């Protein structure tokens, strides 16, 4: 398989989260590559849905457990192009690096996984490749596909996100809350006659910095709080009667205490959960994990992945986050990936699939 050529083709396609058509076309490209080498694969999914997904499987005995590669095809937007030294969708290659949005996160991992899936299918090894959309905005494609994963007889899952080809055994959850305040409008020259929703929001956010009940976990680490977006008001000379903020919590528990805290604050009018994904942890003494040739990191990855959905759909299966790419370049300007890392990941994945039992 021409890994570099496929990666260039995928990076050149702008698959920003929330736009289903280019994500669907990317999935179809990957399916076409697999079918060009292995005709006996089954494809199910919802390619035309609001959050497309596809699941590729090969023929396997009913008792066989499958090794699943779970890959999202969407990317975050490139942001302000003034910060880029190159066109983020030109997929240019220079000094062994392939440049562009989505290289590390996670089209390099998708290409390496595709190579391993082809090798496994050619050898009759029970395999599956899950392609999802809109992971960056809440694993929406994975949520749409969870019933198919639950029916897939999953033995283990590799999520090929950027880890520098090190194996990680989990990550914190994500709880994104839209917190709204209400006020009373008045003329800006007489603010005492109104009630500022923005000032209410400022007060509660200031208090959150010291009073939020942020928990800690020995493996997952500490919960965090980030103000992602904030808005309110309609003109400088009007006391604002509405304001809102979206808070990004990375959680180690259920998030119930955090949600309860926001809802208990006197300034808060409403709290809605935009994203509520649980944390993921796989035991380090899992037999399959111990069999992997790659080094296992002591800590989790810092970001969330589709593993939050997959862990619930296949609760008995160990899940690892393991792929080519540099975590620090994810979502950043000048994102790139080392082609040598992509090839190394493909070889490592292929070794894992060749060691996978054909019958459970």
């Amino acid at each position: 398989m021409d890994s570099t050529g496929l990666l260039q083709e995928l990076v050149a396609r702008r698959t920003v989260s929330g736009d289903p058509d280019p994500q669907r076309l990317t999935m179809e490209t990957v399916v076409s590559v697999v079918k060009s080498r292995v005709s006996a694969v089954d494809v199910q999914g919802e390619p035309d849905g609001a959050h497309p997904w596809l699941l590729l499987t090969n023929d396997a005995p009913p008792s066989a457990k499958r090794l699943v590669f779970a890959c999202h095809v969407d990317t975050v937007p490139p942001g302000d192009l003034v910060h880029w030294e190159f066109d983020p969708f030109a997929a240019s290659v220079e000094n062994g690096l392939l440049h562009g949005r989505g290289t590390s996160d996670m089209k390099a991992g998708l290409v390496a996984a595709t190579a391993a899936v082809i090798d496994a299918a050619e050898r009759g090894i029970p395999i599956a490749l899950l392609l999802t959309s809109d992971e960056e905005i809440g694993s929406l494609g994975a949520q749409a596909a969870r019933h198919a994963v639950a029916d897939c007889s999953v033995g283990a899952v590799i999520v090929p996100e950027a880890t520098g080809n090190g194996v990680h055994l989990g990550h914190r959850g994500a709880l994104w809350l839209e917190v709204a305040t209400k006020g009373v409008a008045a003329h800006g020259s007489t603010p005492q006659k109104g009630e500022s929703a923005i000032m209410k929001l400022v007060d509660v956010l200031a208090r959150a910095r010291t009073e939020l009940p942020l928990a800690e976990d020995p493996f997952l680490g500490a919960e965090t709080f980030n103000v992602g977006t904030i808005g309110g008001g309609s003109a400088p000379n009007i006391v604002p009667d509405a304001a809102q903020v979206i808070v990004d919590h990375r959680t180690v528990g259920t998030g119930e205490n955090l949600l309860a805290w926001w809802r208990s604050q006197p300034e808060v009018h409403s709290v809605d959960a935009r994203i509520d994904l649980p944390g993921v942890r796989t035991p380090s003494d899992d037999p399959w994990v111990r069999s992997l040739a790659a080094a296992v990191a002591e800590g989790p990855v810092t970001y969330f992945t589709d593993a939050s959905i997959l862990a619930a759909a296949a609760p008995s299966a160990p899940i690892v986050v393991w792929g080519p790419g540099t975590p620090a370049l994810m979502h950043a300007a000048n994102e790139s990936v080392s082609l040598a890392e992509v090839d190394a990941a493909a070889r490592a994945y292929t070794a894992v699939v060749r060691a996978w039992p054909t019958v459970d």
Side-chain angles (χ1 to χ4, degrees):
M1 191 184 83
D2 179 9
S3 295
T4 300
L6 177 58
L7 183 54
Q8 286 182 297
E9 182 178 356
L10 299 185
V11 172
R13 184 172 293 134
R14 185 185 177 109
T15 56
V16 174
S17 308
D19 188 357
D21 288 343
Q23 296 185 72
R24 172 180 52 80
L25 290 173
T26 294
M27 294 178 191
E28 291 175 351
T29 296
V30 173
V31 170
S32 178
V33 169
V34 174
K35 284 192 168 184
S36 71
R37 294 281 298 272
V38 185
S39 58
V41 292
D42 178 67
V43 182
Q44 61 175 306
E46 298 174 3
D48 298 321
H51 310 294
W53 63 273
L54 291 175
L55 180 65
L56 285 75
T57 56
N58 61 337
D59 292 334
S63 62
K65 296 287 188 179
R66 295 184 184 276
L67 175 60
V68 179
F69 288 89
C71 307
H72 71 85
V73 302
D74 62 310
T75 73
V76 295
D80 191 340
L81 298 185
V82 72
H83 301 300
W84 288 76
E85 298 175 4
F86 43 80
D87 182 342
F89 299 104
S92 57
V93 177
E94 183 180 7
N95 298 325
L97 297 177
L98 200 156
H99 301 293
R101 174 56 85 223
T103 47
S104 278
D105 186 14
M106 62 173 290
K107 292 178 178 179
L110 169 56
V111 167
T114 300
V117 166
I118 289 172
D119 186 85
E122 288 177 335
R123 296 171 182 272
I125 297 167
I127 200 75
L129 176 62
L130 176 66
L131 304 174
T132 66
S133 62
D134 296 337
E135 184 265 358
E136 301 287 2
I137 54 176
S139 293
L140 301 181
Q143 292 188 51
R146 63 185 302 165
H147 66 283
V149 175
D151 293 339
C152 190
S153 190
V154 178
V157 179
I158 296 174
V159 182
E161 295 275 10
T163 65
N165 280 341
V167 174
H168 290 257
L169 302 181
H171 54 75
R172 292 173 298 174
L175 179 65
W176 293 6
L177 301 177
E178 181 174 356
V179 180
T181 56
K182 296 292 184 184
V184 178
H187 197 284
S189 65
T190 55
Q192 71 276 10
K193 294 183 179 181
E195 193 175 273
S196 172
I198 289 179
M199 293 308 295
K200 286 185 175 182
L201 198 57
V202 168
D203 289 345
V204 73
L205 287 174
R207 198 159 55 249
R209 298 178 69 177
T210 58
E211 295 185 10
L212 270 169
L214 298 172
E216 293 193 26
D217 178 88
F219 173 67
L220 296 178
E223 292 184 325
T224 56
F225 148 63
N226 176 62
V227 175
T229 64
I230 191 168
S234 56
N237 57 348
I238 300 175
V239 176
D241 62 1
Q244 61 285 325
V245 63
I246 297 180
V247 176
D248 175 2
H249 286 297
R250 299 307 164 103
T251 58
V252 301
T254 64
E256 291 180 358
N257 290 340
L258 295 170
L259 186 58
W261 186 90
W262 287 104
R263 287 178 170 162
S264 71
Q265 302 309 298
E267 300 91 344
V268 171
H269 176 263
S270 64
V271 181
D272 294 315
R274 291 281 195 92
I275 291 176
D276 189 359
L277 298 173
V280 177
R281 51 168 71 80
T282 292
S284 59
D285 60 355
D286 178 88
W288 177 72
V289 170
R290 294 177 63 183
S291 75
L292 299 177
V296 177
E298 292 185 1
V301 295
T302 58
Y303 45 83
F304 72 78
T305 76
D306 280 343
S308 290
I309 305 299
L310 305 177
S316 62
I319 299 178
V320 298
V321 184
W322 174 24
T326 304
L329 294 178
M330 300 169 75
H331 301 192
N334 300 323
E335 183 180 355
S336 63
V337 71
S338 162
L339 292 174
E341 263 192 41
V342 180
D343 290 340
R347 290 193 299 270
Y349 294 162
T350 299
V352 172
V353 300
R354 290 183 181 180
W356 189 259
T358 56
V359 178
D360 184 48

